[in-house]
């Protein structure tokens, strides 16, 4: 297939590797372009005059073409809903108060344990349609609303079943301590039962843990991640979200592939990240949706040369949005990232943070033909017009999926 008459082909091509610091502003845009695709892979990109149209040509009508978004942090399967908590927060309650009184993650755990496999699958499929409709062609997807062997496995089976987009699964058994067990006993259960079973079944590529007051400690994380490493899984971590407790530095110490949230991370944490290979994954929609005001220090991170990633954190509690354009808008308005930096953060950098930088995240010869066509003339319109969906079409491996 030839896609031609592309107003702006935003390739994100260049030197292999994530974009760090100033390089995040370089998008490698080709104006008046075309892109040739064969067998689901990109064969060539360039000025449209260099290609000959045939019967299998798609006229993009001067629209903008981007790499499909890679959403590097989502929790897309759960049972029930958290609408009452949304209303409670609207009336002044905080996320922390609701969580301490038995709501929050525990509420989703009760509802997920009670949900049938079919109900979980139906919800997941609906969420996949939402992701695609907003231009996302790959998600990282976490379990974490089971907190027991059976339900964590059921969630991961849902995530690893057939889906219309790429799904990279993460076991988040260490999301919270279940009500029926003491913390130490549950950490042992995660290490001795859940993680080995997940690894045996090939149900996850990464494992995650929520390091936070009232959830898991640094020592719990050292135990869990020691096991994760021994099982050959990659490490992702929720750190420094609600309180600053050296979580970013801990993620570096444990050799995490990504350290996620980082709202409370201070300059020491950013320095530790800058001397590591751990990707900072920032989730501004969770700050916004909880009605908070302290966003992560993206500017400082970029100035220190970090390859910043942005993701939705799509989940029923802190971030009920599957919208990357919304996240890009928040990055620009609240964190003072430029539209180009925000775009690098949800494409090439996100792909590298999931160890998929060689296949995904940019439109270059040899890579997967995961791309989106937007009904706009300038890529900056995506971050600019928040609250409207400007996607025209989405493709995964060259196949029209939305
Ligand atoms: O990334 N912080 C922990 N986990 C999720 C929220 C989960 C929930 O509230 O259901 C997050 O914000
Ligand atoms: Fe999360």
């Amino acid at each position: 297939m030839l896609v031609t008459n592309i107003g702006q082909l935003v390739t994100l091509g260049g030197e292999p590797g994530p974009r760090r610091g100033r390089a995040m502003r370089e998008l490698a845009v080709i104006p008046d372009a075309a892109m040739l695709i064969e067998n689901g892979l990109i064969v060539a990109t360039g000025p449209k005059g260099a290609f000959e149209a045939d019967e299998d040509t798609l006229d993009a009508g001067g629209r903008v073409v981007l790499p499909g978004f890679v959403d590097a942090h989502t929790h897309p399967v759960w049972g029930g809903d958290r609408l009452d908590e949304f209303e409670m927060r609207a009336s002044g309650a905080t996320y922390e108060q609701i969580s301490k009184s038995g709501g929050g993650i525990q509420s989703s755990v009760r509802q997920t344990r009670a949900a049938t496999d079919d109900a979980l699958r139906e919800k997941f499929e609906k969420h996949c349609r939402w992701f695609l409709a907003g231009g996302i062609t790959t998600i990282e997807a976490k379990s974490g609303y089971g907190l027991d062997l059976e339900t964590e496995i059921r969630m991961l089976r849902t995530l690893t079943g057939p889906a219309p987009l790429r799904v990279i699964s993460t076991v988040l058994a260490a999301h919270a301590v279940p009500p029926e067990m003491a913390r130490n006993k549950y950490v042992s259960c995660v290490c001795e039962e859940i993680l080995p079973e997940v690894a045996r079944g090939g149900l996850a590529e990464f494992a995650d843990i929520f390091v936070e007051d009232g959830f898991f400690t640094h020592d719990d994380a050292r135990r869990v991640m020691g096991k994760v490493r021994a099982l050959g899984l990659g490490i992702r971590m929720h750190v420094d979200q609600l309180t600053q407790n050296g979580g970013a530095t801990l993620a570096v110490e444990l050799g995490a592939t990504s350290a996620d949230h980082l709202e409370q991370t201070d300059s020491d944490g950013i320095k530790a990240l800058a001397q590591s290979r751990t990707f900072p994954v920032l989730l501004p929609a969770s700050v916004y949706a909880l009605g908070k005001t302290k966003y992560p220090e993206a500017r400082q991170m970029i100035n220190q040369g970090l390859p910043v990633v942005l993701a939705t954190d799509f989940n029923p509690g802190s971030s009920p949005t599957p919208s990357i354009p919304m996240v890009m808008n928040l990055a620009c308005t609240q964190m003072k990232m430029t539209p180009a930096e925000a775009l690098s953060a949800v494409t090439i950098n996100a792909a590298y943070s999931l160890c998929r930088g060689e296949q995904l995240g940019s439109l270059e010869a040899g890579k997967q033909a995961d791309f989106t066509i937007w009904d706009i003339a300038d890529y900056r319109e995506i971050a600019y017009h928040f609250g409207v969906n400007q996607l025209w079409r989405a493709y995964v491996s060259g196949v029209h999926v939305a």
Side-chain angles (χ1 to χ4, degrees):
M1 171 170 71
L2 180 72
V3 187
T4 192
N5 201 16
I6 300 169
Q8 285 185 333
L9 178 61
V10 185
T11 67
L12 276 296
E15 291 288 303
R19 300 278 211 270
R20 297 174 177 277
R22 276 210 72 82
M24 287 185 70
R25 298 190 181 196
E26 290 158 22
L27 300 180
V29 178
I30 309 173
D32 300 316
M35 175 165 70
L36 186 62
I37 294 158
E38 262 168 37
N39 300 323
L41 297 178
I42 298 166
V43 174
T45 58
K48 67 183 180 196
F51 298 85
E52 255 174 57
D54 61 16
E55 70 279 1
D56 199 10
T57 294
L58 174 69
D59 186 336
R63 294 178 177 85
V64 170
V65 171
L66 304 181
F69 296 139
V70 175
D71 191 344
H73 183 137
T74 80
H75 311 243
V77 182
W78 64 80
D81 66 60
R82 303 258 286 279
L83 291 167
D84 291 344
E85 296 181 6
F86 177 60
E87 189 164 348
M88 282 161 74
R89 288 202 305 278
S91 309
T94 66
Y95 182 71
E96 289 89 332
Q97 287 165 346
I98 293 170
S99 170
K100 284 206 180 84
S101 63
I105 293 170
Q106 299 294 352
S107 165
S108 289
V109 170
R110 286 188 294 273
Q111 299 181 79
T112 304
R113 287 177 175 181
T116 64
D117 287 356
D118 284 349
L120 293 180
R121 165 135 298 276
E122 218 171 279
K123 205 63 146 265
F124 178 57
E125 284 173 358
K126 175 174 176 171
H127 295 159
C128 287
R129 290 194 293 276
W130 287 354
F131 287 124
L132 281 171
I136 296 169
T137 51
T138 298
I139 57 168
E140 181 268 5
K142 303 175 196 296
S143 65
Y145 293 122
L147 312 187
D148 61 24
L149 179 65
E150 183 206 325
T151 320
E152 286 294 310
I153 298 281
R154 287 206 299 131
M155 288 187 76
L156 289 167
R157 286 206 196 288
T158 307
L159 295 173
T160 52
L165 74 177
R166 297 182 203 278
V167 180
I168 297 163
S169 61
T170 296
V171 50
L172 176 55
H175 198 190
V177 179
E180 65 272 13
M181 242 183 248
R183 187 163 48 84
N184 253 320
K185 193 149 176 252
Y186 183 59
V187 171
S188 299
C189 167
V190 169
C191 292
E192 309 312 327
E193 288 179 43
I194 303 181
L195 291 174
E197 185 64 24
V198 168
R200 244 194 313 278
L203 291 171
E205 184 170 330
F206 293 96
D208 197 339
I209 185 167
F210 185 22
V211 178
E212 184 62 59
D213 286 355
F215 293 83
F216 294 97
T217 65
H218 284 216
D219 280 342
D220 296 334
R222 289 192 181 96
R223 254 181 92 191
V224 170
M225 292 313 172
K227 185 73 191 190
V228 165
R229 193 163 283 288
L231 291 168
L233 304 179
I235 298 174
R236 315 187 81 79
M237 292 169 66
H238 283 70
V239 289
D240 295 342
Q241 179 186 13
L242 307 170
T243 55
Q244 201 294 107
N245 67 5
T249 310
L250 176 69
V252 170
E253 172 197 316
L254 297 180
T257 302
S258 75
D260 302 42
H261 275 291
L262 307 175
E263 286 90 327
Q264 315 297 330
T265 301
D266 58 14
S267 349
D268 286 347
I270 294 175
K271 248 182 243 141
L273 287 167
Q275 284 158 11
S276 78
R277 296 166 63 86
T278 302
F279 284 82
V281 178
L282 311 184
L283 312 167
S286 70
V287 180
Y288 171 80
L290 292 181
K292 295 180 181 264
T293 51
K294 193 170 179 343
Y295 287 84
E297 295 289 348
R299 273 284 36 105
Q300 213 183 314
M301 293 179 196
I302 293 172
N303 291 343
Q304 299 251 346
L306 282 168
V308 167
V309 177
L310 290 163
T312 61
D313 194 16
F314 180 59
N315 75 71
S318 64
S319 189
T321 182
S323 171
I324 284 285
M326 177 69 196
V327 166
M328 292 170 71
N329 176 269
L330 290 170
C332 296
T333 59
Q334 310 301 306
M335 290 151 66
K336 304 300 172 203
M337 289 174 66
T338 67
E341 288 169 341
L343 192 52
S344 296
V346 297
T347 53
I348 190 75
N349 284 3
Y352 273 102
S353 83
L354 291 168
C355 308
R356 293 295 192 288
E358 323 266 284
Q359 299 90 41
L360 308 174
S362 65
L363 301 175
E364 296 176 274
K367 284 201 170 182
Q368 292 290 338
D370 290 10
F371 65 99
T372 51
I373 310 181
W374 299 80
D375 214 353
I376 55 179
D378 183 312
Y379 74 86
R380 292 173 296 183
E381 290 178 69
I382 291 176
Y384 171 69
H385 286 300
F386 64 99
V388 61
N389 192 357
Q390 304 174 91
L391 185 90
W392 187 55
R393 287 183 183 192
Y395 292 79
V396 173
S397 286
V399 175
H400 184 189
V401 288

